[in-house]
């Protein structure tokens, strides 16, 4: 059972849905960056709109404001390190990578690159106890599941990149994926201290927005600012989507652990990316057999990693 009394399986299902939102946001921000012609501006719009939504949430909900006080006390008392407040930097890199390379790579290929980074990062975060649940023992099932997830990624990428010159583009989402595991871990720590997912998500968006605005200013001064914005309203929903999945991840990571959260997010991302490429493929990136097989392997990896979630007899212990 989770700390709030909800079953573990429900936290895992919710984590899969979080992963689906990652894929949807990648499509939205990728298309926004493509239409604007500037991934930096697209990233600022996405993160900045999320920050506005969360700021309104803090005005409405007293618990969120109280969480800011608890976090400040936690940092002052050294129960929380200052770098725990910088999870938004990893989120900023992820959103920036969406705006810069999601469209040219295609959602499926972009997603498997992120997945590779998330899988490796999840193992490391749990191994060294970065998340709020502390250090977690890596049972053989989790190691095999993580390994199979990497195999799924390698298989998918090998098929998608055959004859392509876009290999170098994978570096940015791969690094962003590694940062995602760290972001989920530190945001979970902040959420525990603040006793509010709203507070943790607000601080995440605050640091990320500051970083992206600075990066966009430097980029704009060097190459010029993109001022021609598209009129399609759905292209501006990336910030709202980000608020939902960042808060959700901070809420469940203490129950699932970083590795299991990452693997469930992997499943949600791949399935949703598969559906998006099937129902509304991006131009020049038709759905291939390797993507379908890779998605199936990733789902099997999640099931394997979850098999020994609780030791035999644990459910009856008091």
């Amino acid at each position: 059972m989770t700390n709030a009394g909800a079953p573990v399986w429900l936290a895992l299902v919710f984590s899969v849905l979080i992963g689906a939102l990652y894929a949807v946001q990648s499509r939205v921000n990728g298309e926004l960056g493509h239409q604007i012609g500037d991934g930096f501006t697209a990233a600022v719009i996405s993160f900045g709109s999320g920050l506005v939504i969360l700021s309104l949430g803090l005005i409405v909900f007293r618990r969120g404001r109280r969480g800011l006080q608890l976090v400040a006390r936690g940092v002052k008392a050294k129960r929380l390190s200052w770098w725990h407040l910088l999870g938004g930097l990893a989120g900023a890199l992820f959103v920036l990578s969406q705006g810069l390379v999601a469209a040219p790579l295609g959602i499926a290929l972009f997603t498997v690159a992120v997945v590779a980074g998330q899988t490796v990062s999840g193992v490391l975060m749990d191994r060294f106890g970065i998340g709020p649940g502390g250090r977690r023992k890596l049972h053989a099932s989790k190691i095999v599941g993580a390994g199979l997830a990497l195999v799924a990624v390698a298989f998918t990428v090998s098929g998608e990149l055959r004859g392509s010159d876009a290999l170098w583009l994978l570096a940015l989402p791969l690094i962003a994926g590694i940062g995602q595991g760290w972001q989920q871990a530190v945001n979970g720590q902040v959420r525990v201290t603040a006793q509010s997912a709203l507070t943790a998500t607000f601080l995440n968006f605050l640091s990320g927005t500051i970083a992206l605005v600075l990066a966009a200013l430097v980029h704009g001064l060097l190459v010029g600012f993109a001022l021609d914005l598209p009129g399609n309203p759905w292209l501006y929903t990336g910030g709202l989507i980000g608020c939902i999945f960042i808060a959700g991840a901070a809420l469940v990571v203490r129950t699932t652990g970083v590795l299991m959260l990452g693997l469930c997010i992997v499943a949600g991302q791949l399935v949703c990316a598969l559906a998006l490429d099937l129902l509304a493929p991006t131009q020049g990136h038709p759905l291939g057999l390797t993507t379908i097989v890779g998605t199936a392997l990733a789902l099997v990896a999640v099931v394997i990693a979850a098999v020994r979630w609780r030791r035999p007899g644990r459910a009856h212990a008091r």
Side-chain angles (χ1 to χ4, degrees):
M1 302 291 284
T2 68
N3 293 337
V8 173
W9 68 264
L10 185 59
L12 297 179
V13 170
F14 187 63
S15 299
V16 173
L17 295 178
I18 290 172
L21 289 177
Y22 272 81
V24 172
Q25 190 197 50
S26 295
R27 168 60 66 89
V28 170
N29 287 343
E31 185 62 25
L32 179 61
H34 175 69
Q35 291 197 22
I36 293 177
D38 184 355
F40 287 87
T41 299
V44 170
I45 291 173
S46 178
F47 240 76
S49 62
L51 181 61
V52 170
I53 293 170
L54 292 165
S55 297
L56 293 175
L58 284 180
I59 294 173
V60 174
F61 297 103
R62 181 180 178 183
R63 186 171 181 178
R65 300 193 299 274
R66 179 174 176 270
L68 293 175
Q69 297 175 344
L70 293 176
V71 168
R73 293 172 189 170
V75 173
K76 186 176 181 180
K78 298 185 178 179
R79 295 190 303 271
L80 195 69
S81 299
W82 62 268
W83 50 265
H84 281 108
L85 307 182
L86 301 180
L89 299 184
L93 179 61
F94 177 66
V95 172
L96 181 61
S97 69
Q98 290 174 333
L100 290 174
V101 302
L105 279 177
I107 297 303
L109 188 52
F110 175 87
T111 298
V112 293
V114 172
V115 161
Q118 287 174 320
T119 304
V120 173
S121 184
V123 173
L124 294 176
M125 295 302 105
D126 274 354
R127 175 64 181 85
F128 294 104
I130 304 298
R135 183 173 297 183
R136 293 172 181 263
K137 186 177 181 180
L138 296 180
H139 294 297
S141 58
K142 289 187 178 182
I143 297 174
V144 171
L148 184 58
L150 288 176
V151 170
V153 170
F155 179 80
T156 307
V157 170
S158 66
E160 293 283 349
L161 287 181
R162 193 170 297 145
S164 173
D165 61 352
L167 182 61
W168 67 271
L169 291 174
L170 291 173
L172 188 56
L174 179 65
I175 295 171
I178 293 174
Q180 286 294 290
W182 178 76
Q183 180 190 31
Q184 291 154 8
V186 297
N187 283 351
Q189 292 276 30
V190 175
R191 186 259 168 188
V192 170
T193 300
Q195 300 176 19
S196 169
L198 172 60
T199 302
T201 310
F202 170 80
L203 292 173
N204 176 90
F205 271 75
L206 179 62
S207 61
T209 299
I210 292 173
L212 285 172
V213 168
L214 293 176
L217 285 174
V218 173
H219 179 261
L221 290 173
L222 292 176
V223 303
F225 294 94
L227 301 176
D228 187 15
L229 302 180
N232 195 333
W234 78 271
L235 294 176
Y236 301 96
T237 60
L240 175 61
I241 296 171
C243 290
I244 296 171
F245 70 63
I246 293 297
L251 192 63
V252 301
V253 66
R254 190 177 188 183
T255 298
T256 63
V258 179
L259 176 58
M260 279 307 304
L261 174 62
L263 287 174
C264 288
I265 286 177
V266 163
Q269 281 177 296
L270 289 175
V271 170
C272 189
L274 190 68
L276 288 172
D277 277 356
L278 179 64
L279 300 175
T282 53
Q283 187 175 3
H285 297 283
L287 183 63
L289 179 61
T290 52
T291 302
I292 297 173
V293 175
T295 300
L297 286 175
L299 290 174
V300 172
V302 173
V303 173
I304 291 175
V307 167
R308 289 188 59 185
W309 176 241
R310 286 187 287 187
R311 296 178 183 175
R314 263 284 180 94
H316 302 288
R318 295 287 183 187

